[in-house]
Amino acid sequence: MGDQQQLEELLPFLSPTARPDVRATALQYLLGVTGSKNSSDFFLKNRIFIEKILALTEDSQTVIAKDAYLCLINLSAEEKFCKVLLEDYDPVPKFFKTVTDPESEFADSASAILSNVTRSESGAERVLDSLVKGDIGLAKLVEVFCQDGYNKKGKQLHYIGPMLSNLTQLRFARQFILDRDRCVVQRLLPYTQYQGSLKRRGGIVGALKNCCFETAYHEWLLSDDVDIVPFLLLPLAGPEEFAEDEMVGLPEELQYLGEDKQREEDPDIRKMLLEALLQLCTTKHGRKTLRDKHVYYILRELHKWEAEPALKEAVENVVQILISDEPEDVDNLKEVQIPEGVEKQLEQQEGKEQQ
């Protein structure tokens, strides 16, 4: 990181009255500084630079405004900077306006910053509060996210996905997505298979996983009104063929997938999908539905394929529930007695099938 005196000498050149080429050069130097380790410490001690950067996001020169946004993306990677940014400068309304402006050149940058600042629960609370109380609202954010070609400048708005995942740390956001009258969750489900962006796909899988913690909505999520199971299972399914008796109970979307079917490549997304299925096992209705839909067979093949030990264990956690007996009057997962040795049984079954 640059010498503090050198950095302080940049201040006059970051002023709107400085020549555009001088502003651009000074900001480019500052951008390099924001990319260095622990750079936020300097900016938190010298907050005039934060004010300058925020002001330059409005610069008439596109290249300057772009670099100002990049500075904020770098700095907001650190939670301590996010806290100060949100509490002392409250840029959230401005950033949401930028994200939802179809003519904005900086919609992607603004959504990346909002994704960063919502990673902590306190940040998510502040952003959600601003969103709900402001002119935008969660409904508009979802509409912008789901509308192809919304931004006329070619900005893809993929970072709204991780932002929605972060916001669903909060029950209010989860219940908004699960509102039966809004059909929000139905609009988000197809993105579990979205190949155009890992950020978008992973963000929505994260949001769905969080929503699955709301056990009161499980029956609805598993009903024909939503039918969440195929959207969680398809990314975990491969090209394997099943016996007819195994195939017949699978959702139609999981049958006859073909030899070119590939599983989700990202291990973090596979983990979240498995965690969502595990949450759906929390209720008796959920466990019965997953059994009836032959989820076990998809997970059996996934277990054979999966190379990550932690993810093999995550598969086993779901399988343990699905193949276990349980008392008729138990509806709480924590009350279910899980038999020992299920992992060994699974491996033995795999060995028989491979012979």
Side-chain angles (χ1 to χ4, degrees):
M1 195 164 71
D3 178 84
Q4 177 155 341
Q5 184 177 347
Q6 287 180 320
L7 290 170
E8 289 173 352
E9 290 173 355
L10 289 177
L11 283 173
F13 306 121
L14 296 171
S15 169
T17 58
R19 288 198 339 248
D21 60 326
V22 173
R23 287 203 308 279
T25 301
L27 187 57
Q28 282 179 344
Y29 182 82
L30 205 61
L31 175 59
V33 173
T34 64
S36 61
K37 188 176 180 181
N38 298 323
S39 61
S40 66
D41 291 340
F42 168 80
F43 290 91
L44 293 175
K45 293 175 182 176
N46 300 271
R47 297 192 184 187
I48 183 63
F49 285 95
I50 301 176
E51 296 167 14
K52 293 287 188 183
I53 292 170
L54 285 168
L56 288 173
T57 61
E58 303 284 354
D59 200 280
S60 59
Q61 301 291 316
T62 301
V63 66
I64 294 175
K66 177 184 176 183
D67 282 350
Y69 272 105
L70 290 175
C71 286
L72 292 173
I73 291 173
N74 287 344
L75 291 169
S76 60
E78 296 192 45
E79 186 177 340
K80 57 188 174 183
F81 180 86
C82 294
K83 187 174 187 295
V84 170
L85 181 67
L86 292 174
E87 293 180 358
D88 294 354
Y89 299 97
D90 191 24
V92 175
K94 162 190 160 59
F95 289 154
F96 272 125
K97 184 177 179 181
T98 301
V99 169
T100 56
D101 178 1
E103 300 294 334
S104 175
E105 291 273 4
F106 309 112
D108 280 344
S109 296
S111 60
I113 296 167
L114 288 168
S115 175
N116 281 349
V117 300
T118 52
R119 287 179 302 180
S120 70
E121 185 173 349
S122 61
E125 287 174 346
R126 184 172 285 271
V127 170
L128 183 61
D129 183 65
S130 178
L131 188 60
V132 171
K133 291 180 179 177
D135 298 328
I136 306 296
L138 268 171
K140 179 65 175 180
L141 190 64
V142 171
E143 176 188 339
V144 168
F145 179 75
C146 294
Q147 184 175 329
D148 288 340
Y150 176 86
N151 183 280
K152 307 309 177 188
K153 303 295 184 180
K155 307 306 173 185
Q156 300 300 310
L157 304 174
H158 294 319
Y159 275 92
I160 295 178
M163 190 199 317
L164 288 172
S165 179
N166 294 341
L167 291 175
T168 54
Q169 295 177 77
L170 309 175
R171 194 172 191 196
F172 182 93
R174 295 195 297 271
Q175 291 185 331
F176 170 84
I177 289 176
L178 295 171
D179 188 320
R180 288 173 168 82
D181 297 325
R182 293 182 182 273
C183 293
V184 174
V185 70
Q186 292 93 327
R187 297 181 71 183
L188 298 180
L189 285 173
Y191 291 108
T192 64
Q193 292 276 343
Y194 186 82
Q195 295 304 308
S197 167
L198 180 66
K199 289 290 183 186
R200 179 177 286 249
R201 188 169 76 252
I204 293 310
V205 170
L208 293 173
K209 179 207 73 173
N210 289 343
C211 287
C212 287
F213 279 86
E214 296 290 333
T215 55
Y217 293 85
H218 279 190
E219 192 163 343
W220 178 67
L221 286 171
L222 294 164
S223 72
D224 291 341
D225 290 341
V226 180
D227 198 20
I228 193 173
V229 172
F231 294 96
L232 299 178
L233 277 186
L234 261 173
L236 299 175
E240 296 84 7
E241 294 183 6
F242 293 94
E244 191 62 34
D245 62 325
E246 297 174 347
M247 179 82 74
V248 70
L250 287 170
E252 289 185 9
E253 298 89 339
L254 276 295
Q255 298 179 14
Y256 307 106
L257 292 178
E259 60 184 19
D260 59 344
K261 173 65 174 71
Q262 295 185 351
R263 289 184 171 87
E264 169 58 54
E265 63 184 21
D266 185 81
D268 291 331
I269 294 180
R270 295 201 302 277
K271 180 182 178 184
M272 290 188 290
L273 290 164
L274 290 165
E275 289 172 344
L277 290 170
L278 187 63
Q279 287 305 314
L280 291 173
C281 289
T282 302
T283 58
K284 179 183 287 187
H285 179 81
R287 296 190 291 275
K288 182 179 186 304
T289 301
L290 295 190
R291 289 175 182 134
D292 291 346
K293 290 182 180 291
H294 285 195
V295 169
Y296 164 76
Y297 297 112
I298 298 293
L299 297 183
R300 181 191 67 194
E301 300 305 316
L302 174 63
H303 190 267
K304 297 176 187 177
W305 172 89
E306 182 59 66
E308 298 278 345
L311 292 183
K312 286 182 83 76
E313 183 178 352
V315 175
E316 292 158 12
N317 289 338
V318 182
V319 169
Q320 284 177 353
I321 304 302
L322 296 181
I323 69 175
S324 296
D325 294 327
E326 57 181 282
E328 289 294 325
D329 58 346
V330 172
D331 191 47
N332 189 321
L333 175 65
K334 294 179 180 178
E335 298 174 5
V336 178
Q337 183 65 40
I338 305 299
E340 298 180 1
V342 174
E343 177 182 355
K344 186 175 180 180
Q345 294 173 25
L346 185 60
E347 290 174 349
Q348 289 173 344
Q349 178 67 21
E350 289 177 9
K352 290 178 183 177
E353 291 164 357
Q354 290 170 356
Q355 289 176 357

